[in-house]
Amino acid sequence: MSKKPLSSPTTTHDGCPQPRPEWVPDEAGAGFATWVMEGVRTAGVEAAPANPRPRRAVLEVEDYVKGVSERNLTVLGRAITLVESNASRHREKAQRVLQELLPKTGRAKRIGITGIPGAGKSTFIEALGCQLIKQGRRVAVLAIDPSSSRTGGSILADKVRMEKLGREPNAFIRPSPAGGSLGGVARKTREAIMLCEAAGYDVIIVETVGVGQSETTVRSMVDCFMVLMIAGAGDEMQGIKKGVIELADMLVINKADGDNRIRCMATLAEMKRVLPYLHSATVGWKTPALLASALEGQGIGEVWRVTEQFFKTLQATGELNIRRREQAIEWMHALIEESLKSQFYQREDVRARLDRVEHRVASGRIPPLAAALALIEGKELETESLSLNK
């Protein structure tokens, strides 16, 4: 028995040849509105141009400077994308933009917030940001999302979690991928801070991926370093062991609501007993431990009151200017190291020999230090010449 074809012979519909499905009766006329679409209708339709115009106009340096200065969020977002770009053609333009905007930077309060996953960082930042906006401030949040070690991708979900803050006209939220950089802090976060300051935001909050030994990198780019903790997670002693708490200017025990409030109060008492035995992160300032509930909005006002007192103390002692000068120098050295590393791996002699030298290190035929020095100095290893002779 022969199989019935899926479609009947081709007829014409709407100016195009189209077959009808097998279930359409043979006597069905044009009123039976079922057709098999075999592609896009082309009758009477002009072909699209071979080279369509770009969707967005290319911005010049003066366009970026003008847009950022006027707090144009679209231009600000594109400026951050520009400084985050690894393309060589973008680097020169990005540095020219930053140079033009440099006089408008440095006036904001830079705050870094970190904590273990599940500490409620996004909820806390949203509650704090909304309260600051009610006080007439402008808040920018730079949220660093973790990148996959396999694919390099990031979900960038922080903006979704801060839905209420994202609706505020005086708020700017920019999620960025960590890109495998140290401490989960994106390589260009410092430039993004400068751009947000030039746009007139007076509070810049940097949310990092999570607590870890490398997370201390965030300290090198903010004025106030805040660590969020939760009760019952075992992170009190872990934090002390990793040294993160020793770098904290403020400790906030979050999620102090409902039945968890009693446990949070016990954790708060424990941290207050521990803190006097730790070195202060900032000269002239004793690190406080505070209680807060970002979900209920409790304790957020007290956290900001202590934060303002922190900045007043640093300005009075001159520590704020000292810290920022040291950070600028540290930033320069970090960029030098990054540039030298990039140039090293792009050298033709290194690219030609790297696989061969790696194989000899992995097989234990040469020490890693000798291999590294040979590649850096451009010298040939004895084992390489022997293998070539073979």
Side-chain angles (χ1 to χ4, degrees):
M1 183 177 176
S2 60
K3 212 171 183 181
K4 189 176 180 180
L6 293 177
S7 59
S8 59
T10 302
T11 57
T12 301
H13 174 67
D14 198 21
C16 293
Q18 296 169 342
R20 306 201 74 171
E22 59 177 350
W23 58 81
V24 178
D26 295 335
E27 66 276 8
F32 200 97
T34 304
W35 300 85
V36 175
M37 305 300 292
E38 289 193 334
V40 180
R41 180 181 183 274
T42 58
V45 179
E46 294 183 2
N51 296 314
R53 294 182 179 180
R55 294 174 59 187
R56 297 189 301 180
V58 177
L59 299 181
E60 300 300 331
V61 173
E62 53 270 18
D63 299 322
Y64 281 111
V65 173
K66 183 175 182 293
V68 171
S69 301
E70 294 176 352
R71 207 174 312 117
N72 183 318
L73 299 187
T74 301
V75 177
L76 176 58
R78 292 184 63 177
I80 294 177
T81 301
L82 181 71
V83 301
E84 288 179 345
S85 173
N86 291 321
S88 57
R89 66 181 184 275
H90 293 157
R91 290 176 184 172
E92 182 181 353
K93 181 182 286 188
Q95 293 309 309
R96 288 170 60 194
V97 171
L98 290 171
Q99 185 64 43
E100 292 290 331
L101 293 172
L102 192 60
K104 299 181 180 181
T105 64
R107 300 184 181 95
K109 292 179 172 66
R110 306 170 183 174
I111 301 171
I113 296 181
T114 190
I116 63 171
K121 295 185 292 294
S122 297
T123 307
F124 178 84
I125 291 172
E126 182 176 55
L128 177 61
C130 288
Q131 181 161 322
L132 294 177
I133 288 174
K134 289 179 181 178
Q135 298 176 6
R137 297 180 181 274
R138 290 187 287 269
V139 180
V141 179
L142 303 175
I144 313 301
D145 268 19
S147 297
S148 169
S149 58
R150 294 187 176 183
T151 65
S154 297
I155 298 177
L156 304 179
D158 289 280
K159 194 169 185 178
V160 177
R161 288 196 289 263
M162 303 181 201
E163 182 181 358
K164 184 179 178 182
L165 181 61
R167 292 196 299 264
E168 294 288 345
N170 285 328
F172 175 76
I173 304 174
R174 170 73 181 210
S176 297
S181 57
L182 186 61
V185 180
R187 181 173 55 90
K188 298 296 183 179
T189 301
R190 291 181 175 90
E191 282 99 335
I193 291 174
M194 294 174 62
L195 291 171
C196 290
E197 288 180 336
Y201 292 96
D202 43 23
V203 178
I204 314 293
I205 299 175
V206 181
E207 179 194 358
T208 63
V209 173
V211 170
Q213 287 178 310
S214 61
E215 197 62 17
T216 56
T217 310
V218 73
R219 157 58 76 197
S220 66
M221 64 179 68
V222 297
D223 306 319
C224 179
F225 184 48
M226 191 181 302
V227 176
L228 260 60
M229 303 177 65
I230 53 176
D235 58 343
E236 298 93 340
M237 293 301 105
Q238 283 293 322
I240 295 171
K241 183 173 68 175
K242 293 174 180 175
V244 176
I245 291 180
E246 288 187 334
L247 295 175
D249 296 307
M250 294 175 60
L251 293 177
V252 179
I253 315 299
N254 193 26
K255 298 189 176 183
D257 44 55
D259 297 337
N260 196 46
R261 183 172 180 82
I262 296 177
R263 288 191 291 271
C264 287
M265 292 177 68
T267 301
L268 178 67
E270 178 67 23
M271 294 312 303
K272 286 184 175 180
R273 286 195 293 268
V274 169
L275 286 173
Y277 296 98
L278 302 178
H279 293 288
S280 297
T282 302
V283 177
W285 174 259
K286 292 184 178 180
T287 303
L290 305 170
L291 210 62
S293 170
L295 186 64
E296 297 180 353
Q298 297 179 359
I300 304 299
E302 177 64 12
V303 169
W304 183 247
R305 187 194 67 79
V306 175
T307 303
E308 286 191 311
Q309 185 60 45
F310 170 83
F311 279 96
K312 289 179 181 177
T313 302
L314 260 65
Q315 289 170 349
T317 60
E319 183 64 22
L320 183 61
N321 291 332
I322 295 173
R323 174 168 291 179
R324 289 196 174 182
R325 285 198 296 267
E326 291 176 349
Q327 288 176 352
I329 296 173
E330 184 178 346
W331 181 8
M332 181 193 71
H333 287 291
L335 292 175
I336 291 173
E337 292 176 7
E338 180 183 333
S339 178
L340 290 174
K341 182 179 178 180
S342 176
Q343 292 177 23
F344 170 76
Y345 283 108
Q346 289 176 4
R347 279 169 41 186
E348 291 186 6
D349 62 319
V350 172
R351 294 169 65 180
R353 299 172 55 201
L354 189 58
D355 290 342
R356 190 166 61 249
V357 174
E358 284 179 348
H359 177 71
R360 280 152 182 76
V361 171
S363 61
R365 297 170 63 182
I366 54 174
L369 179 58
L373 292 175
L375 287 171
I376 293 171
E377 298 172 0
K379 296 179 179 179
E380 187 177 285
L381 291 164
E382 184 178 349
T383 55
E384 287 185 277
S385 59
L386 290 174
S387 62
L388 289 174
N389 293 330
K390 290 180 182 179

